[in-house]
Every structure is written in structure tokens, then in C-alpha cells.
Amino acid sequence: MPPALLLLPLLLVQLWYWARYFGPFARRPPEAPATEPGPDAEPVSIILCARNELDNLRELVPLLLSQDYPAGFELVLINDRSHDETELYAQQLGQYYPGRFRLVSVSHTPAGFAPKKYALTLGIKAARHERLLFTDADCRPVSADWLRLMQRGFAQKNGADLVLGFSGYAERPGLLNKLIRYETLLTAAQYLGLAWAGKPYMGVGRNLAYTRATFHKTKGFASHMRRLSGDDDLLVQDAVARGARAAVVADPPAQTTSEPAETWATWWHQKRRHLSAGSRYRPADRWRLAIFMGSNLFFYLLTPVLLAVSLSPENLISLGVIWLARTLLLLAAYIPLARRLGQALPPAALPFLDFLYLVFYSAWGLSLLVRRPLQWK
């Protein structure tokens, strides 16, 4: 038997994930457009936490306040210890939008609390409505129907408690940007695909909604208050563990977009912080993710070993066939997914981006083993 055939089980594992989770999500029916009547009659509180983000707020806040949502909504802006003119800007907004704008000012963070989680807790307490929709200051809603479409997610599953949305990154020149957008696509394939199949495990705070009752059921961020990250994925973990039902809303008009990291170092630290929360996932979720990512990683790692074992024509041909099959299957899985989410990635670059991302993923994993995840002390 050619040694290259040892790669087949790893390829079959990847194929199972692509066919079981990613493919069905990519082929799911389009969501109802905002022009059609829908169950969006409940008022909403949009919650936005910002620290020294004045320039971003000047762009984002008008987009939020101009959302098309007849049922009514408010914007709760949390000024988290800013040193710029955020407070003054917010006070002016309060004069222009009485009843639709609410300012929550945080002057300090108590010991033992992650700053953003403490700030969000105060913002949620101040919000007037049961439904809560979250985004970040560096995000932009793709359309004026973002709020309306995200809220329709609550009508799924006979009344969802969480709505998981998608937030992409703006397209810019260069390899780093393509890699960031590929990583975002692959992450979305996992958390949205698994949620669509009834196995939700995370969301992204740049586009996430849940009810006040869900927040109280998890006791807020109590189980992970000291961790710097996790205000989104760990809250989803706690909510699902307590029986919360999660819906997916990911069509392009319901998305937000952000400016990507501009340097490799910034992206490295950003992703390392995000991945540090994974150690707190439920065992079943950790195993599910580890099997998929591990099968991809070992596929690459075993290839040079199998070449070293044998350079026989039979082994080389088998290796070439398996690699060709994996490349074609990868393209068949990710091109429809990228199209479904409105992400423009060059198809020819996907195999290389996949390899490069797994190199970084391995490095992040090793760095987290060497150095403990960041916590606030």
C-alpha cells in the first residue's frame, strides 16, 4: 500500500465537515428581503461600546440612527473611559435625538473585571428594550436594513434567544488582507454552519443579538469576567448550555463590515486574544473544532513525511491524486460559501491561503500553550 494513502482518512474527515456543515449552510434558501413583511415589531436597543473612538463614532452613529426600523429603537452608547471628545459628542447627540439616544459613561473599571464586559453590563442595564443588538465602533452596517433583518432572526426556531450574524472585513490590497478575509470566511463557515445544523457554539460581537432574559440567564459575563476576550463567544457558550436557541442571519444586507488589521503584528495579537477564549468552550465543541482543524493541519504535516518515506512512482502518483482531490473539494466547499456571504476572494488563491492560515493557527496554538491567556488581575 502506498504510504500516501494514510492521508485518505484525514481527507474524509474534512470532506464530512464540508458536506455536513459548510455545504448545507452555503445552499440554504435566501433570507426574506427587508421589503417583505416580517416579524420585526418589537423595539430594540442597539448597544455600542467605545473607547477613544471619536472618528469612528462620527461615521457609525449616523448609520445606526438612520436604520429603517418602524417598531422603534434606541442607541445606547457606552463611553468606556475615553480621553478624547466622545463624551461631548455623545451629549450633543442626546440633544438632537431625545428618546432615541442614551449615553452611559464609565469612569473606571473595578478590580477583577474585564473592562469591556463591565462596560457592556452597565449598558445592558441602562437599555430600555428586551431585544439587544450589539456591534463595535469600528464596524459599519452594510445596509439600512441591518437592524430589521437581524431582528427577524428572533422569529426563527419558534422564538430564538440569540441571533448570530456575520461581520466581514473590508477588501484592501495585499496578502495580509486576503489572509484576514479568508480566516474570517473559515471561522464563519464553522460557527454559522454548525449553528445552522443545530450546534451553535459562538458568535461575533461585531454583529450579535440576544434578549435581556438570555443575558440574565447566563448571569451576564460572570463565568468569565476576568478574561479579556469572550464577551461574545463565551456568552453564547453559557447561553446555549442553559437551553438558549440560536438563529442565523447572514445574508449580505444583514452584515456589518470592519477595517482589517494593517500589520501582521496587530493581526497576530488580535487573533491570539480571540483564540484564548477557546479553552473555556464546552468539551463537545472543543472536540468538534479540534477534529476539523486537526485533520487539516495533519494533512499538511504528514505530506513531507510521506514523501521522505517513499519516492516511488506509485506513492508520488497517489499523493498527487489525493492532493488534487483535496484542492478541488476545498474549492467546491469554500467558493459557494464565499459567494453566499458576499465575500470576494480569488478562487485560485484559496489553497495557498488555507495553507498559510493553518501555519498561523498552529503558531497561535503553540503560543497559547507557552503563555497563559490574558486576564485582568
Side-chain angles (χ1 to χ4, degrees), residues 3 21 34 66 84 87 140 150 159 163 173 202-203 238 254 265 273 283 305 307 315-316 346 365 368:
Y21 298 119
S66 63
D84 59 12
E87 189 84 9
R140 305 291 182 268
M150 283 293 291
V163 182
M202 68 162 276
D238 288 346
R273 187 179 72 248
V305 175
L307 282 172
N315 191 51
L316 292 176
L368 289 172

Side-chain angles (χ1 to χ4, degrees), residues 161-310:
D161 308 291
L162 298 151
V163 182
L164 312 181
F166 175 74
S167 182
Y169 286 99
E171 183 177 357
R172 298 289 181 264
L175 176 60
L176 174 61
N177 179 264
K178 290 182 176 60
L179 185 57
I180 289 173
R181 291 188 293 117
Y182 176 77
E183 181 274 327
T184 304
L185 176 68
L186 183 56
T187 300
Q190 294 173 77
Y191 82 86
L192 294 176
L194 284 163
W196 181 254
K199 302 181 186 300
Y201 71 92
M202 68 162 276
V204 293
R206 303 190 304 275
N207 195 5
L208 175 67
Y210 48 82
T211 63
R212 184 190 303 275
T214 299
F215 184 75
H216 290 321
K217 187 180 295 185
T218 66
K219 298 182 180 179
F221 307 114
S223 70
H224 47 93
M225 183 58 81
R226 290 175 60 85
R227 286 183 172 259
L228 185 60
S229 62
D231 57 275
D232 42 18
D233 53 351
L234 293 183
L235 184 132
V236 172
Q237 282 278 310
D238 288 346
V240 171
R242 288 164 174 78
R245 293 164 296 184
V248 172
V249 175
D251 277 1
Q255 297 175 10
T256 64
T257 186
S258 302
E259 284 296 319
E262 296 182 352
T263 67
W264 293 90
T266 301
W267 186 55
W268 168 273
H269 292 296
Q270 182 185 79
K271 290 307 301 178
R272 186 179 182 278
R273 187 179 72 248
H274 292 166
L275 290 172
S276 69
S279 63
R280 294 291 303 272
Y281 286 6
R282 292 167 297 171
D285 294 325
R286 292 203 304 269
W287 276 109
R288 203 173 285 119
L289 296 174
I291 290 171
F292 174 69
M293 295 304 294
S295 66
N296 281 273
L297 178 60
F298 281 107
F299 191 94
Y300 287 111
L301 290 177
L302 274 180
T303 296
V305 175
L306 297 174
L307 282 172
V309 168
S310 173

